[in-house]
Amino acid sequence: MEKTNIVGVGLLIFAIVKGLPRIYTVKEKKAKPSIFKEAGMLGPPFETVKEIDRSIEETIWRLIKEETGIPREMIDLQKVIPESFNLIPGRPDIFTMYGYAFYKGEPEDASLFTPEDDDIEFRGWYTMAELEEEHLRIEVPFILDHFRKSGCFIDAIHGLAA
């Protein structure tokens, strides 16, 4: 039997908070040692692609519902990065993808930020530099670096300013 690859999708959700572009973050409440995830780690929300998902965009919309609680109409999905990355040591079967979006609501009102998933909780809005100082999921430093170098960060800043 052929082993199927697992794809995890992250979403960088941006908003202007206190005058700066910041990313919506969640804190992991449960460890998953098989993927180097520890309780207390921070990062953007992630979701695993399931057979029911017809596209990565569909996985992202499910991620938004399950991992953030934010209503769909409050999210402006900008782009899914077309590349996938093998970022989990010793797990050649796991690949990571990501996209980015803008939050169209009031970021200081955390009443909407209620994930359905009980493995995580909303942690707050972080600048990229602030986030990089935290205890992060193993995929996050690479994603932030890739996002910055890809030119999408500049596009996101311009999009948020518009």
Side-chain angles (χ1 to χ4, degrees):
M1 180 177 185
E2 185 177 322
K3 191 165 183 158
T4 304
N5 287 333
I6 299 166
V7 179
V9 181
L11 184 63
L12 302 173
I13 303 171
F14 284 92
I16 298 293
V17 182
K18 297 178 183 170
L20 295 171
R22 296 177 189 262
I23 299 170
Y24 177 100
T25 62
V26 295
K27 180 173 88 173
E28 300 294 338
K29 293 167 59 177
K30 297 181 181 175
K32 287 188 182 175
S34 65
I35 59 170
F36 293 82
K37 186 165 64 171
E38 302 169 7
M41 287 180 155
L42 296 183
F46 280 86
E47 184 57 73
T48 302
V49 174
K50 294 183 178 177
E51 285 186 32
I52 61 169
D53 300 330
R54 294 173 294 194
S55 66
I56 298 300
E57 288 85 357
E58 197 166 300
T59 301
I60 288 174
W61 289 115
R62 187 169 51 78
L63 171 156
I64 291 164
K65 179 181 182 297
E66 296 174 6
E67 303 288 313
T68 72
I70 298 171
R72 185 179 181 132
E73 63 271 8
M74 300 301 291
I75 296 290
D76 185 3
L77 182 59
Q78 294 295 299
K79 185 175 183 178
V80 175
I81 306 305
E83 302 157 272
S84 63
F85 311 96
N86 182 242
L87 302 175
I88 310 292
R91 294 298 306 264
D93 60 323
I94 298 179
F95 291 86
T96 302
M97 297 183 74
Y98 74 96
Y100 74 97
F102 301 149
Y103 177 61
K104 298 189 287 186
E106 183 55 52
E108 284 89 359
D109 178 9
S111 64
L112 293 178
F113 310 144
T114 54
E116 292 177 7
D117 186 342
D118 63 358
D119 287 355
I120 59 167
E121 64 187 12
F122 173 65
R123 181 67 172 126
W125 295 91
Y126 286 76
T127 66
M128 288 177 71
E130 291 168 342
L131 191 55
E132 290 169 328
E133 297 297 318
E134 297 292 329
H135 182 49
L136 301 175
R137 283 184 56 149
I138 197 164
E139 309 96 330
V140 176
F142 178 88
I143 287 172
L144 294 177
D145 188 56
H146 184 271
F147 184 73
R148 195 179 278 116
K149 290 177 180 174
S150 72
C152 289
F153 181 67
I154 300 300
D155 292 343
I157 298 305
H158 289 294
L160 283 169

